[in-house]
Amino acid sequence: MPDPKPRSKFAPLAWFLPLMVMLGALFWLVSLVAPPAPPKPLVVSIGPWIGYEPLVLAREQDWLGPQLRIVETLSNTETAQALRDGSADVGAVTLDEAIRLYAEGVPIRVISVLSDSHGADGVVVAPGVDGIAGLRGQAVLVEDSAMGYHVLHSALVEAGMEMEDVRIVRVQSSVVPVRWRNGGAAGAVVFEPMLSELLDEGAVLAFSTADHPGLVLDVLVAREEVLRSRRPALRELLAAWDRAAKAFAQPDLLPLDMLVAGGRLDVRDYRAALDGVAFLDGEASRRMMAGEPSELSRNMRALAASLRRAGLEPGLRIDERILAPEVGAGP
């Protein structure tokens, strides 16, 4: 009788291989019909400036969907760095910061104008100092950003002086009040809410954007890859800003107790600080970015000229491609 045919060592796998093929096919089919994982939220970076408060309100009132996340920084300088390194997708910055970032090669575009300072930025002097002229030869605290220098230069020029006539002490905006209280400075360039804080403590206002509308504008910028890939999320952000900016037009109806919670100002001072800011809703922003040249373009050119005269950005030139008004123009 012949020996039985030896059994293959792979025989136990005969049933297993078809099963694996079937399971693989099933997983492939599921992957085709299953919804893709939601994208990571866009990081929207904002500094401690009262002109960005509508974004705080939008966050606290849940007017922002899950695809947007507000991150508060200690200063606009930190926001600018986050835009440089890509840790922020969108940022609220001053107009000068936007054009300087673009000139550096940072791939950002301006998608909206947020606010115009009507007294929320200024230069304060110590009691006994004779206004801006009294700062000659004295130390002045200035945030390490071009806008601080721009405001100071504008104040000095109005008084017939130049930057060389004062001793500039560069500091982070968040530590200006501490440095001011420690003494050693005759003046400081500050913005709200720090401006009201120092005035309450006895500082004297010597120069203010209340008399110079358009001097300090804040804009919303987005990195170019976000413009290409996340346009619906950006429009949701602009819609939330528009809603919140309109709410700030009626400050008596704002949840002020919530907005001042943990801040430096009480409700009274917060109301006073709001008087120094003109918030631009979507329609006002679109008007400012419309036309050839647009009002915003003219403002950028004047700002660049001022920074060049101040010796801050001698080679700064304006590139109109920085503006992306189409993002807020609807579908």
Side-chain angles (χ1 to χ4, degrees):
M1 181 176 179
D3 292 335
K5 186 177 181 180
R7 188 179 181 186
S8 170
K9 63 181 179 181
F10 297 109
L13 299 177
W15 63 272
F16 185 68
L17 292 175
L19 177 61
M20 292 300 295
V21 171
M22 291 175 61
L23 288 175
L26 179 61
F27 290 145
W28 177 73
L29 288 172
V30 169
S31 70
L32 291 180
V33 299
K40 291 182 179 180
L42 291 182
V43 174
V44 183
S45 181
I46 62 173
W49 157 239
I50 201 167
Y52 306 147
E53 287 289 277
L55 289 173
V56 176
L57 177 66
R59 180 189 64 193
E60 297 302 319
Q61 299 292 81
D62 292 326
W63 294 344
L64 299 170
Q67 57 183 338
L68 296 164
R69 181 164 68 94
I70 303 294
V71 174
E72 296 183 68
T73 63
L74 292 176
S75 69
N76 275 19
T77 302
E78 285 191 15
T79 294
Q81 183 55 42
L83 289 165
R84 285 188 186 94
D85 62 30
S87 58
D89 303 294
V90 183
V93 295
T94 52
L95 181 60
D96 77 288
E97 288 166 329
I99 60 179
R100 292 170 77 225
L101 284 169
Y102 191 79
E104 288 176 22
V106 180
I108 53 100
R109 305 277 296 283
V110 176
I111 63 174
S112 183
V113 187
L114 301 180
S115 61
D116 183 3
S117 178
H118 286 190
D121 293 79
V123 181
V124 299
V125 297
V129 174
D130 186 18
I132 298 298
L135 294 176
R136 189 180 297 274
Q138 301 294 321
V140 181
L141 303 175
V142 186
E143 182 191 8
D144 191 14
S145 73
M147 187 52 72
Y149 288 87
H150 175 52
V151 171
L152 177 60
H153 180 251
S154 299
L156 292 172
V157 168
E158 192 169 271
M161 300 164 62
E162 290 294 339
M163 301 288 271
E164 296 77 14
D165 294 325
V166 299
R167 291 190 293 112
I168 293 174
V169 180
R170 301 168 67 170
V171 294
Q172 277 265 17
S173 62
S174 58
V175 301
V176 167
V178 175
R179 293 290 299 271
W180 179 259
R181 295 179 190 117
N182 288 341
V189 181
V190 284
F191 52 82
E192 294 291 8
M194 290 176 287
L195 177 57
S196 290
E197 186 180 351
L198 296 189
L199 292 177
D200 281 348
E201 295 177 9
V204 179
L205 186 63
F207 177 87
S208 168
T209 54
D211 302 317
H212 304 80
L215 185 67
V216 178
L217 291 174
D218 285 274
V219 296
L220 195 66
V221 302
R223 289 179 62 87
E224 290 180 352
E225 62 264 29
V226 175
L227 287 176
R228 293 190 295 267
S229 62
R230 305 290 297 275
R231 187 70 62 89
L234 291 177
R235 285 183 173 156
E236 179 184 329
L237 177 61
L238 293 180
W241 169 271
D242 183 64
R243 181 178 181 182
K246 288 175 179 174
F248 269 77
Q250 303 180 72
D252 291 340
L253 302 180
L254 288 172
L256 294 178
D257 289 337
M258 179 270 290
L259 290 170
V260 302
R264 291 186 168 120
L265 303 180
D266 58 21
V267 169
R268 178 184 63 84
D269 287 339
Y270 189 90
R271 285 178 180 274
L274 287 178
D275 290 339
V277 182
F279 297 103
L280 278 67
D281 60 20
E283 182 180 352
S285 173
R286 287 188 290 272
R287 284 198 306 268
M288 199 165 188
M289 297 180 74
E292 293 291 343
S294 67
E295 181 181 350
L296 186 58
S297 295
R298 294 193 295 271
N299 197 288
M300 287 193 302
R301 295 187 182 283
L303 175 57
S306 174
L307 294 177
R308 290 194 296 268
R309 288 196 304 271
L312 299 177
E313 295 286 345
L316 184 62
R317 294 293 181 269
I318 296 302
D319 187 335
E320 297 292 337
R321 290 174 294 182
I322 190 177
L323 300 181
E326 67 276 6
V327 178

